[in-house]
Amino acid sequence: MINLGVNWRRVRAVMVKEFIQLRRDRLTFAMMLGVPLLQLILFGYAINNDPRNLPTAVLVEENNQYTRSFLNALENSRYYKINSVLDNHRQAQRKLETGAVTFVVTIPAGFGRDLLRGDRPQLLIQADATDPAATSNAVAALEGISRNAFRHEFRGPLASLNAPPPAVDVVIHRLYNPESISTYNIVPGLIGVILTMTMIMMTALTLTRETENGTLENLLSMPVTPLEVMLGKVAPYVCLGLFQVTVILITASLLFGVPIVGSLLLLFLVALVFISANVFLGFTLSTFARTQLQAMQMTFFVFLPTILLSGFMFPFRGMPMWAQYLGEILPLTHFLRMVRGIVLKGNGVAEILPELWPILLFLVLVGWVALLRYRRTLD
Amino acid sequence: MPETTPTPVIEVKDLVKKFDGKTVVNGVSIHVNEGEIVGFLGPNGSGKTTTIRLMCGLLTPDSGSGQCLGYDITTQSEKIRQQIGYMTQKFSFYEDMTVVENLDFVGELYGLANRARRVNDMMAQFGLTPRRQQVVGTLSGGWKQRLALAASVIHTPKLLLLDEPTAGVDPNARREFWDRIHDLASKGLTVLVSTHYIDEAERCHRVIYVSDGQVVTRGTADEIIDQANLSTWVVRGDNLETLAHALEKRPEVRQVARFGRSLHVLGTDAARLDALAEDLRDDPDHDWQRADTTLEDVLIDLGARNDRAAAP
Ligand SMILES: Nc1ncnc2c1ncn2[C@@H]1O[C@H](COP(=O)(O)OP(=O)(O)OP(=O)(O)O)[C@@H](O)[C@H]1O
Ligand SMILES: [Mg+2]
């Protein structure tokens, strides 16, 4: 039975207690600051890989055999996966902002005519370069694609068009991170990864520590409800998490000069929701673990898929579909998109809302499980 | 004025608790009246701690029922928690917090209106004031016990459940502790206290003795001695160990308890034991004397019976 009548005085008592214990535990405290900084410096170097089938939208102002050939060539390269055809630039802009597509290919009117004349028509490719690791290979492949796209058309009298320079002038617009600096992308991601690890672990340990030390028996014999214990225990770690975010942001901007385009307030708000989700997850784990060692193992059991499937380690769109579905469950996936959006694209509330509610849903579900699992007895 | 009928503070019936199929508490019924100090005795692993946990709702019984302070132990443990003080057998306060921080925490959870004053009072009463800022992990065992006791009475509970509260506490502190318990009981506090010390059992109004999860005997010290129906002889002299070995083989001897300079020889059949004593008292090395059976004799006998039952 869940009793929702919260006595805030008792919540505060638990919270104060946790703060005192946290303060006494110098090593843990140092680790919670040291680990993020170490990771920040280590991960500051790009992780490179070769994602394929990146979602692409096309804005076709002219439709004929040449434009079709080019789009086919794009798809055949396996880097691009065309999933929508757009009518105007506003739509294109929107798709890029929300991260629905990584590329928008614009084929201008008069493309076929210019091509045949040898006028090298311009072909615009807008790339979401927030994560340069994700897009760089696809962009690099463009030259080859444009050279070979019209092999079948350029026969007989047109064969001369096969000679260099390529018949199409591909113009690439890297949006959001024009210089393709990997650390710009890594740093926001790192905030999420560090928060995931420290928040889940610290909270998973708090309740199991009480079980192991025998203090739980005493706590259970006093009039404090599961919800009060949970809220009180979780609150200090939420504060600590926000503190970590601050430290990472300051370090990132001092060390790597990462610009923050969007609203800081929004960033912290999003971080708060994300931290809460993790902290509740940690608390839930602690209701399953009997020892602190088990709590640690469970943390890693959750942590590994989180970094692998969230789009931190590997570009999300480059993963197989089943992995993407799994990834959508993870709070980190959504957090990464929001933070990248806010820090690099300057996204506002409207753009991040679709990513925020999955985390909120996760938070509610996990908190509910925790309350069901937290027992008021020692059985 | 008519005599008021005593109100039961603890009233549990046929409690059964199994862990992994092993019955640890096997049909225990306990009745404790207001203002009583009841000793809870029994060998290690006999189920004392488990029974106490059942009574304060920390464990759910597999069968049986009962109430504490008028609240059902299985469904109203929330209410029970407000009004009991439970001192766990294993020290269970926060070792990385100071004395005053621990007491503050407990005081806040009970929602004490005048917490700061109450915490100071408790520290003064239990002599903890000079150690208020000491981190609990660095306190000696006896001082930890005092802290635990102070914390368990900070909210002036109506019922105190104490699980071996004086284990490892020096004699002076134990005496103080018991004086305090009696003082609180005279003001209406009810106490159930588990212990392995016989002198503490004698300080209780009543004693309940459990073995293997079942109540073996209960009552006042005198009642328990009577019920045991033992007669006792005390033997003094030299070379007692050889005698003890010889006596232990005799069927009329139930139990030989060794003391530094004497043996207590116990038997259930007074006549046969007397005959044996008459036979043996001719030996000038040994001085045989009839003695009153003490609570200690009975409890040692009960413990020994338990050991014999456990032997293969
Ligand atoms: N949570 C548990 N899971 C499994 N077995 C348990 C559990 N708690 C107690 N036991 C078992 O129940 C039996 C009784 O334990 P209990 O702690 O109640 O004894 P006790 O009378 O308090 O002993 P002691 O005098 O040593 O404190 C023991 O055999 C113990 O191993
Ligand atoms: Mg015990």
Side-chain angles (χ1 to χ4, degrees), chain B residues 48-49 89 163-164:
Chain B
K48 300 183 295 296
T49 301
Q89 177 170 5
D163 200 353
E164 295 189 31

Side-chain angles (χ1 to χ4, degrees), chain A residues 7-17 20 219 222-224 228, chain B residues 82 100-119 151 154-155:
Chain A
N7 176 325
W8 292 105
R9 186 167 170 196
R10 293 198 292 247
V11 173
R12 197 187 57 196
V14 176
M15 197 177 88
V16 168
K17 183 213 104 191
I20 293 173
L219 195 62
M222 292 190 279
V224 57
E228 288 159 5
Chain B
Q82 281 282 357
V100 65
E101 283 164 352
N102 269 292
L103 290 175
D104 277 342
F105 175 59
V106 174
E108 282 292 292
L109 287 193
Y110 283 112
L112 298 183
N114 43 4
R115 191 208 75 224
R117 221 188 58 218
R118 191 74 189 140
V119 166
I154 196 166
H155 57 298

Side-chain angles (χ1 to χ4, degrees), chain A residues 378-379, chain B residues 18-20 22-25 42-53 59 89 163-164 194 196 210:
Chain A
L378 296 165
D379 291 276
Chain B
K18 296 179 183 142
F19 288 116
D20 316 312
K22 188 176 149 237
T23 309
V24 166
V25 173
N44 292 134
S46 55
K48 300 183 295 296
T49 301
T50 309
T51 307
I52 294 178
R53 286 174 176 167
L59 289 173
Q89 177 170 5
D163 200 353
E164 295 189 31
S194 85
H196 289 297
V210 288

Side-chain angles (χ1 to χ4, degrees), chain A residues 9 210 217 220 378-379, chain B residues 17 58 60 81 86 94 112:
Chain A
R9 186 167 170 196
E210 303 234 13
E217 186 176 2
L220 288 178
L378 296 165
D379 291 276
Chain B
K17 182 70 190 177
L58 282 178
T60 347
R81 275 162 229 239
Y86 171 41
Y94 300 100
L112 298 183

